[in-house]
């Protein structure tokens, strides 16, 4: 079941679409990436097993991002260095071998490079966006993150010509879940909340705030993991791919 109600709505006048982990497979499943990178550094991490290091770093990273301010989205590389150092410190505090800040920084920088190298367009995403456009839907790409990094992805993955409005947090000075991020995008498209769908993978950014504004909110669950246990968020619809929204 991919919907939270039985009625499939016709396409709207406008869609606001997230980029990372909605159009692009970008930052989902960080545990796989951290384990991969830790294995690359196995000799330098010894005698600590790479999976133990990856687990510690991931735990610290999740703690960090749970309270981090929006400014850290503009400084991803620096944030990753901080989180690896934090993971290393947690291991040392538990009685394990102390690992150097230099090693932490190199591991963090490799993670950043690895993540950028591994990004790809979800199968069918380009075709789905082109189909929405062919049906006359006005399209806005609304993405958080630093200007240079996000703009590079927009160009690298041929998204520029597919959207009527491209809104990058680092270029505009505001981002999701600030209400003005959605209001500005709708104003740029010349539509109202009643005309608009928001589609993305982040429950707070793409469901909670849009619904509060009266936007129809679609949560993209690419890996089919379902809503987190205990979640009170109720997307208007749940999909695994943008292709599910293409009529017919």
């Amino acid at each position: 079941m991919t919907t939270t109600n039985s009625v499939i709505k016709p396409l709207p006048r406008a869609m606001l679409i997230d980029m990372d982990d909605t159009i692009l497979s970008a930052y989902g499943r960080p545990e796989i990436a951290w384990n991969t990178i830790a294995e690359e550094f196995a000799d330098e991490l010894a005698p600590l097993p790479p999976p133990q290091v990856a687990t510690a770093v991931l735990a610290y990273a999740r703690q960090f991002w749970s309270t981090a301010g929006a400014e850290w989205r503009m400084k991803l590389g620096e944030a990753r260095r901080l989180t690896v150092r934090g993971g290393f410190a947690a291991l040392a505090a538990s009685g394990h071998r102390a690992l150097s800040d230099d090693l932490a920084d190199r591991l963090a920088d490799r993670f950043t490079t690895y993540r950028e190298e591994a990004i790809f367009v979800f199968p069918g995403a380009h075709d789905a966006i082109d189909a929405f456009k062919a049906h006359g839907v006005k399209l806005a790409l609304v993405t958080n993150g630093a200007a240079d990094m996000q703009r590079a992805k927009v160009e690298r993955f041929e998204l520029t010509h597919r959207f009527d409005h491209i809104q990058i947090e680092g270029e505009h000075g505001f981002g999701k879940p600030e209400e003005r991020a959605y209001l500005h995008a709708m104003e740029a498209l010349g539509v109202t909340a009643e005309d608009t769908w928001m589609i993305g993978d982040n429950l707070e950014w793409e469901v909670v705030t849009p619904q509060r504004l009266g936007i129809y909110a679609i949560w993209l669950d690419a890996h089919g993991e379902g809503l987190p246990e205990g979640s009170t968020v109720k997307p208007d619809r749940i999909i695994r791919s943008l292709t599910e929204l293409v009529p017919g």
Side-chain angles (χ1 to χ4, degrees):
M1 173 68 78
T2 57
T3 64
T4 53
N5 57 49
S6 59
V7 179
I8 304 300
K9 293 164 70 76
L11 288 178
R13 283 190 61 206
M15 292 182 183
L16 314 182
I17 305 178
D18 173 52
M19 181 167 66
D20 294 319
D21 297 304
T22 298
I23 298 169
L24 307 179
S25 177
Y27 304 123
R29 300 199 164 172
E31 66 280 358
I32 296 174
W34 280 120
N35 274 285
T36 300
I37 301 308
E39 288 291 346
E40 290 184 11
F41 285 80
D43 290 346
E44 293 185 76
L45 296 172
L48 282 167
Q52 184 175 5
V53 175
T55 297
V57 169
L58 184 62
Y60 191 90
R62 284 178 169 150
Q63 177 187 343
F64 174 85
W65 285 112
S66 70
T67 58
E71 68 274 9
W72 284 106
R73 294 199 293 267
M74 305 299 113
K75 303 182 290 185
L76 268 187
E78 185 180 340
R80 285 170 180 157
R81 286 187 169 202
L82 278 176
T83 58
V84 178
R85 289 187 182 200
F88 282 11
L91 288 166
S94 299
H96 296 289
R97 173 197 164 199
L99 299 166
S100 71
D101 286 347
D102 172 70
L103 178 57
D105 291 350
R106 286 188 289 115
L107 194 145
D109 293 347
R110 172 61 186 131
F111 180 87
T112 294
T113 303
Y114 175 88
R115 285 300 238 181
E116 294 307 309
E117 290 171 351
I119 294 173
F120 63 89
V121 180
F122 279 127
H126 275 166
D127 290 342
I129 294 165
D130 293 344
F132 303 150
K133 199 173 185 72
H135 278 82
V137 180
K138 295 182 178 183
L139 301 174
L141 182 72
V142 183
T143 181
N144 282 356
D148 54 351
M149 182 176 71
Q150 298 301 80
R151 179 60 66 174
K153 282 188 281 191
V154 168
E155 295 175 0
R156 173 183 168 192
F157 295 107
E158 302 179 346
L159 298 176
T160 308
H161 70 281
R162 291 187 152 91
F163 287 89
D164 303 295
H165 173 65
I166 292 177
Q167 187 171 303
I168 298 171
E169 181 181 21
E171 293 180 351
H172 284 73
F174 53 83
K176 301 170 291 187
E178 295 176 74
E179 290 189 357
R180 62 176 168 162
Y182 315 89
L183 296 174
H184 181 83
M186 289 189 292
E187 182 180 1
L189 296 180
V191 297
T192 64
E194 292 74 21
D195 299 324
T196 306
W197 292 0
M198 177 80 227
I199 306 149
D201 69 297
N202 185 297
L203 287 169
E204 181 184 0
W205 300 352
E206 274 91 49
V207 178
V208 175
T209 306
Q211 284 181 335
R212 188 165 65 240
L213 294 172
I215 297 168
Y216 186 80
I218 300 173
W219 182 53
L220 194 143
D221 177 20
H223 303 294
E225 295 173 345
L227 291 168
E229 187 175 351
S231 174
T232 58
V233 181
K234 294 183 178 179
D236 293 300
R237 185 172 175 187
I238 299 173
I239 60 174
R240 292 194 60 180
S241 166
L242 290 173
T243 59
E244 293 178 39
L245 300 178
V246 178

